[in-house]
Amino acid sequence: MARMSHGLPTDWLNETAQRELLAAIYAIISEAPLYTPHMPRTGLPMSVKMTNCGPLGWYTDQAEGYRYIRQHPLTQQPWPAMPEAFQALWWRMTDYPDPPEACLINYYGPNSRMGLHRDADESARSAPVVSLSLGDTALFRIGGPKRTDPTNSFRLNSGTLIALDGESRHWHHGVDRIYPRSSPLLPGGGRFNLTLRRVNPPN
Ligand code: MD3
Ligand code: FE
């Protein structure tokens, strides 16, 4: 594993591995379609579309806000099982003793972005987060524990794996933009990001 200038452990998947994971994502979406999440209070739609696999999935709507739920909000079915190949990314990037409980699948179109935020909906506060980027390159921004801390930006291109662990787990971060047509991986263009998470502390 390498450590980039931002200090986070990173690794890369080759094109064959990327295509295999992409096929698994399309299989999940055929059962658990992408939905548009809505912000708490304002009810404004997010520009990123989402779905999940694994026992728990991240969701937000105007009425109840950010949370993890066990069923797809539209189909009411349990989230599809997490493919072994996704769990393997977790074991490859962390030495956390328990398997991930949630895999959020974010889809970014040409105009999608994600504002600066912290991930704070998991009670397993010391567990790492593992992220995989597939498709178009994203301009990612990461700051510090305070919203006003200085930030660093770097590009996440297709096949990049990052583990957010220790202090970085609680830092502000966001996606400023994606670079349309920067990758040939997705037939219709755009970017998928997988985030593997532990939600509940181990027993
Ligand atoms: C840094 N997703 O879903 S992944 C999110 O590219 C999210 O879709 C972004 O932020 C995306 O919440 C970034 C990389 C990532 C994930 C979790 C983090 C970076 C993080 C948690 C803490 C600090
Ligand atoms: Fe996040």
Side-chain angles (χ1 to χ4, degrees), residues 51-135:
T51 190
N52 293 268
C53 62
L56 294 170
W58 190 85
Y59 183 62
T60 175
D61 60 10
Q62 183 171 20
E64 294 182 61
Y66 306 154
R67 63 208 189 264
Y68 283 90
I69 57 179
R70 294 194 173 272
Q71 276 133 21
H72 189 284
L74 307 176
T75 69
Q76 306 295 342
Q77 294 301 116
W79 300 108
M82 201 182 305
E84 288 290 338
F86 291 15
Q87 297 185 49
L89 302 173
W90 177 263
W91 304 121
R92 171 171 170 161
M93 296 299 289
T94 85
D95 43 29
Y96 195 76
D98 300 282
E101 293 176 291
C103 176
L104 174 62
I105 300 172
N106 290 331
Y107 175 74
Y108 294 75
N111 300 115
S112 299
R113 52 184 296 282
M114 191 179 282
L116 205 67
H117 68 280
R118 305 169 61 161
D119 291 16
D121 305 315
E122 301 81 24
S123 55
R125 290 191 47 84
S126 61
V129 176
V130 171
S131 152
L132 171 66
S133 296
L134 292 174

